[in-house]
């Protein structure tokens, strides 16, 4: 009997998702003669059994298209908003997996999706993950599809910001996606020649940044580009956040501890809220140069995937079909050199691939005079 596989895309969308769906689907249906069902909107669609047939030409013409034809969501099986409540819908998902007679579920997603896939694996389902995210922070794989496209977009934006910063003698702080890892800000910052690069892995001091900007002014370059990852944090905010978190933990641990008020309890979140804007304002004060903030936001995730992402997604997608054919389940299809390598989901889930502070790219950037705020 032909093998039946399900596919879904979960988490934030990423250029190359459609190319990967096409890779899995065409290899599975065309080469291995399997049946493929798409589930809409991530784990929510699997929970609600909302399907999309993929055998009628739906996979043609999508290689170059951004987004995902299946739709996506950040819904988690064990904490799904249903009727105004967060419910554990894992059993419904397991039920639909069996009702659809699936031999395997292929989940295209990042770190969150990997954790959700692990939960389903622990319930006895055969799952395979494909690593996508513009953040490039999935553990166990060399890279993720979506990253290369976002890198080009962010780099082009920095190029464009350079000429206006130069003309107006301004500091332009440009916020780049990446809450937990700074790969995108680091890469785009280097490729775009940013004067300062701030990433979550290297807490910064605004005074150090300001001094490097003043030094540029003294040398006749009274403008600067500061590339900041969303999750970059100052040393002061990091200390405040750590203290607030410890306090929250302590309060939760004491049975009769007075309830912390919102301001205290959420201090950790609040310091993140407008920090890039605060940094721009701080640098304006400290340097005497005008500062502007540009948030690249979801522009980085939209549109046509780059050639490299289309190739990577096709490579990983077809490798997923090969693994299913061999009944090699429970793995992340990791990019490894020029090939792929199956990595056990439990070895990768819950871990984040962050930028080591002494990574060769950080070292190179420092060699050309880039300031990291430390
Ligand atoms: O996880 C990918 C990512 O693009 C992050 O870089 C970013 O912080 C986040 O998604 C934004 O999520 P949303 O699309 O839910 O606003």
């Amino acid at each position: 009997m032909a093998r039946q596989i399900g596919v879904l895309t979960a988490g934030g969308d990423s250029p190359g998702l459609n190319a990967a769906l096409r890779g899995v689907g065409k290899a599975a249906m065309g080469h291995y003669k399997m049946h493929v069902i798409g589930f809409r909107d991530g784990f929510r669609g699997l929970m609600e059994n909302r399907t999309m047939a993929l055998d009628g030409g739906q996979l043609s013409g999508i290689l170059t298209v951004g987004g995902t034809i299946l739709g996506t969501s950040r819904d988690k099986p064990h904490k799904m908003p249903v009727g105004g409540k967060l419910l554990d819908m894992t059993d419904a998902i397991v039920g639909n997996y069996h009702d659809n007679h699936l031999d395997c579920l292929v989940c295209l997603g990042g770190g969150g999706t990997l954790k959700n896939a692990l939960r389903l694996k622990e319930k006895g389902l055969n799952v395979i993950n494909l690593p996508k995210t513009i953040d490039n922070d999935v553990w166990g794989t060399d890279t993720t599809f979506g990253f290369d496209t976002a890198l080009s977009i962010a780099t082009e934006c920095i190029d464009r910001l350079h000429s206006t910063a130069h003309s107006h003698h301004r500091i332009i702080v440009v916020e780049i996606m990446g809450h937990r890892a700074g790969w995108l800000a680091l890469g785009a910052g280097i490729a775009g020649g940013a004067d300062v690069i701030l990433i979550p892995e290297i807490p910064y001091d605004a005074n150090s940044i300001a001094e490097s900007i003043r030094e540029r002014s003294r040398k006749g370059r009274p403008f600067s580009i500061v590339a900041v990852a969303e999750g970059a944090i100052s040393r002061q905010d990091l200390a405040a956040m750590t203290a607030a978190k410890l306090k929250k933990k302590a309060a939760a641990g004491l049975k009769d501890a007075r309830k912390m008020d919102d301001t205290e309890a959420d201090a950790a979140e609040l310091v993140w809220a407008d920090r890039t804007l605060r940094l721009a304002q701080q640098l304006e004060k400290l340097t005497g140069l005008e500062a502007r903030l540009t948030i690249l936001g979801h522009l980085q995730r939209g549109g046509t995937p780059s050639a490299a992402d289309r190739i990577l997604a096709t490579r990983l997608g077809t490798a997923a079909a090969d693994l299913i054919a061999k009944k090699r389940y429970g793995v992340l299809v990791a990019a490894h050199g020029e090939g792929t390598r199956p990595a056990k989901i439990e070895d990768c889930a819950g871990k984040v691939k962050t930028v080591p502070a002494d990574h060769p790219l950080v070292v190179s950037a420092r060699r050309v005079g880039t300031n990291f705020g430390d």
Side-chain angles (χ1 to χ4, degrees):
M1 234 178 73
R3 221 93 63 81
Q4 177 97 332
I5 68 172
V7 286
L8 59 79
T9 54
D13 71 339
S14 188
L17 275 171
N18 283 329
L21 285 173
R22 171 181 175 273
V24 182
K26 288 203 167 190
M29 292 187 287
H31 187 72
Y32 290 111
K33 311 297 174 206
M34 299 171 186
H35 290 151
V36 183
I37 309 176
F39 290 92
R40 296 179 188 268
D41 304 333
F43 294 99
R44 172 163 290 274
L46 179 54
M47 187 275 281
E48 293 170 348
N49 204 23
R50 283 188 291 116
T51 59
M52 178 181 192
L54 294 177
D55 51 4
Q58 292 86 348
L59 298 179
S60 294
I62 63 167
L63 174 66
T64 59
V65 180
T68 157
I69 56 166
L70 289 178
T72 186
S73 73
R74 291 196 183 275
D75 288 320
K76 305 175 177 80
H78 66 299
K79 267 190 203 167
M80 203 166 287
V82 181
K85 287 184 186 155
L86 276 184
L87 300 182
D88 184 348
M89 301 307 289
T90 311
D91 287 347
I93 285 180
V94 172
N96 284 336
Y97 175 98
H98 292 302
D99 289 351
N100 282 290
H101 307 288
L102 297 184
D103 292 292
C104 178
L105 175 69
V106 182
C107 305
L108 283 62
T113 305
L114 210 46
K115 285 199 255 178
N116 292 326
L118 178 59
R119 287 189 189 100
L120 299 183
K121 180 180 177 182
E122 286 166 353
K123 290 279 177 184
L125 305 193
N126 294 328
V127 283
I128 286 196
N129 270 70
L130 287 181
K132 71 87 211 167
T133 165
I134 66 163
D135 296 347
N136 196 27
D137 62 355
V138 175
W139 186 269
T141 180
D142 287 357
T143 186
T144 55
F145 52 86
F147 175 66
D148 181 74
T149 309
L151 183 60
S152 300
I153 297 169
T155 302
E156 191 195 330
C157 291
I158 293 180
D159 291 349
R160 290 177 184 275
L161 292 170
H162 245 121
S163 60
T164 174
H166 175 263
S167 305
H168 283 267
H169 318 297
R170 280 176 175 155
I171 298 167
I172 295 195
V173 175
V174 50
E175 187 185 287
I176 294 169
M177 276 190 171
H179 263 120
R180 302 175 304 172
W183 296 107
L184 195 53
L186 177 63
I190 293 175
D195 308 293
V196 179
I197 299 177
L198 305 177
I199 57 176
E201 295 86 344
I202 305 178
Y204 63 82
D205 177 349
N207 291 307
S208 152
I209 304 168
E211 180 44 32
S212 77
I213 292 174
R214 284 193 298 258
E215 178 63 11
R216 281 176 51 77
S217 293
R218 287 195 286 273
K219 288 183 175 160
R221 292 190 293 277
F223 68 94
S224 285
I225 298 289
V226 182
V228 190
E230 283 172 321
I233 186 162
S234 70
R235 288 179 189 159
Q236 293 90 327
D237 280 355
L238 182 63
M241 198 170 85
T242 311
K245 273 189 179 166
L246 286 175
K247 206 168 173 185
K248 200 172 175 178
K249 268 193 189 165
L254 290 172
K255 255 194 171 171
D256 54 354
R258 92 190 146 80
K259 271 203 153 187
M260 297 173 76
D261 66 30
D262 282 352
T263 325
E264 279 178 319
D266 294 337
E269 316 307 323
L270 286 177
V271 291
W272 296 85
D274 56 354
R275 66 199 178 285
T276 321
L277 177 62
R278 278 190 285 131
L279 174 66
Q281 291 164 342
Q282 230 178 333
L283 293 179
E284 191 165 273
K285 271 196 201 132
L286 290 169
T287 62
L289 290 178
E290 246 187 345
R292 291 286 188 272
L293 168 64
T294 301
I295 297 176
L296 300 186
H298 295 82
L299 279 174
Q300 296 161 102
R301 290 213 317 235
T304 310
S306 66
D309 274 336
R310 294 178 206 179
I311 293 169
L312 177 64
T314 303
R315 187 152 70 85
L316 298 182
T318 53
D322 293 341
L323 289 167
I324 297 168
K326 291 182 203 148
K327 300 193 179 176
R328 185 78 205 277
Y329 304 127
V331 294
L332 168 77
V333 187
H336 182 62
E338 290 185 356
T340 54
R341 180 170 64 178
K344 282 186 185 164
I345 291 181
E346 54 272 32
D347 291 345
C348 307
K351 297 180 189 163
V352 181
K353 189 181 79 177
T354 53
V355 179
D358 60 351
H359 189 277
L361 285 180
V362 175
V363 175
S364 294
R366 289 192 196 276
R367 294 278 187 274
V368 295
T370 311
N371 177 286
F372 280 84
D374 52 350

